[in-house]
């Protein structure tokens, strides 16, 4: 499907020019070093139009070209938000584990302290018994005995007592060392928890900045321009999906869903129409990895929370071998994930402002495919 040659209605060019200006001003929000698969936005014609106006010459704006720049900038902003969302989710998941570890360590410290107190009490009783016998050790008392049988019996008791004393000392020492290690581990987990809190706060701020910039950019467009922008988005996705299907890949994909895969697909399908909310994992809203992780949890197979960890930890399979329920990871930084449902289609939670929906599996750059129930 080729680009629509319609022009924006009269009065719309001023608003469009403002929107293109916003494209330039929000570029500072796209942090250097963040990967993005789409090409960089083309230079805005706003500056040349202004220059032409000042020199008295005329310049013609190309609405589709300008809207394409807006579309690409929106893609970049939402991609950055997706990357930050993955970082936020990772920090949230780490915080859960660290908090659980701190609780476990606290319980170990309490039990260890109770054990140490009991051992000290035993040592105290032994010391008191020795005091009652005049302060002489058992071996000295034994040497003062004149009765041979008593001497032999006492020798056995002394040996047992020495072994018990050594064991008590070893246990006291080990318990004290354990308590010291538990305390150090707890302090380390607290430090990690604090670092994670800061990382989560930074990710949250970045997400909010990118979404606010995207919303500001879209707010500058008229209704007709928003409609045309939506068309351009669909055309871009359609073009990529068509190219992917054109490779003949569907002729090679014949695998059927596993029993667990069918359950995961059924769960994802039941979420259609629910809004995308970053950091959400149901039941009323989802982000991309929140949807896939909950779908597989419902199938009895817990998987990592983030798309990056799903890519790292789950088994990789070739695209031609994928089956319904498998997860397709997108972009070079594994910042997006969707569930394959067969016939070249996916279910995904796309981005802020969208809902859980069906799309083309090849409509975004595919990094690879992973299988949760391999």
């Amino acid at each position: 499907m080729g680009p629509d040659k319609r022009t924006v209605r009269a009065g719309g060019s001023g608003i469009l020019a403002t929107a293109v200006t916003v494209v330039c001003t929000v570029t500072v929000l796209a942090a250097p070093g963040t990967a993005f698969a789409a090409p960089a936005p083309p230079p805005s014609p706003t500056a040349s139009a202004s220059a032409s106006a000042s020199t008295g010459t005329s310049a013609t704006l190309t609405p589709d070209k300008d809207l394409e720049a807006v579309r690409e900038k929106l893609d970049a902003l939402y991609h950055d938000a997706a990357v930050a969302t993955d970082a936020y989710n990772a920090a949230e998941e780490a915080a859960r584990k660290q908090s659980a570890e701190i609780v476990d360590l606290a319980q170990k410290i309490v039990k260890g302290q109770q054990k140490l107190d009991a051992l000290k009490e035993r040592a105290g009783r032994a010391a008191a018994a020795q005091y009652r016998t005049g302060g002489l050790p058992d071996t000295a008392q034994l040497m003062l005995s004149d009765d041979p049988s008593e001497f032999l019996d006492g020798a056995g008791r002394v040996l047992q007592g020495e072994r018990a004393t050594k064991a008590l000392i070893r246990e006291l020492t080990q318990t004290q060392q354990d308590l010291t290690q538990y305390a150090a581990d707890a302090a380390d987990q607290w430090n990690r928890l604090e670092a994670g809190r800061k990382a989560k706060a930074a990710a949250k701020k970045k997400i909010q900045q990118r979404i606010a910039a995207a919303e500001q950019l879209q707010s500058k467009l008229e209704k007709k321009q928003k409609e045309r922008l939506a068309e351009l988005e669909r055309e871009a996705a359609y073009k990529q999906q068509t190219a992917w299907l054109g490779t003949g890949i569907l002729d090679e994909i014949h695998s059927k869903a596993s029993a667990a895969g069918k359950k995961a697909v059924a769960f994802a399908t039941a979420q259609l129409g629910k809004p995308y909310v970053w950091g959400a994992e149901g039941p009323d809203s989802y982000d991309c990895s929140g949807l896939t992780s909950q779908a597989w949890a419902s199938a009895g197979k817990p998987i990592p929370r983030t798309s990056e960890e799903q890519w790292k930890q789950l088994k990789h399979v070739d695209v031609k071998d994928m089956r319904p329920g498998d997860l397709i990871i997108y972009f070079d930084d594994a910042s997006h994930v969707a569930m394959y449902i067969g016939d070249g289609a996916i279910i995904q939670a796309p981005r802020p402002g969208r809902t859980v929906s069906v799309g083309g599996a090849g409509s975004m750059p595919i990094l690879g495919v992973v299988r949760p129930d391999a």
Side-chain angles (χ1 to χ4, degrees), residues 102 105-106 109 181-191:
I102 289 170
L105 287 168
I109 289 172
Q181 187 60 53
Y182 293 155
D185 290 346
D188 181 59
Q189 290 296 341
W190 274 115
N191 290 335

Side-chain angles (χ1 to χ4, degrees), residues 67 114 141 222 245 316 343:
L67 282 173
Q114 291 172 343
Q141 294 181 50
E222 279 191 340
L245 294 175
H316 292 202
D343 296 326

Side-chain angles (χ1 to χ4, degrees), residues 265 268-269 323-326 328 339-347 357-359:
V265 170
T269 302
R323 65 193 187 194
D326 286 348
I328 303 180
M339 179 177 290
Y340 185 64
I341 58 174
D343 296 326
I346 54 172
I347 288 180
S357 54
V358 175

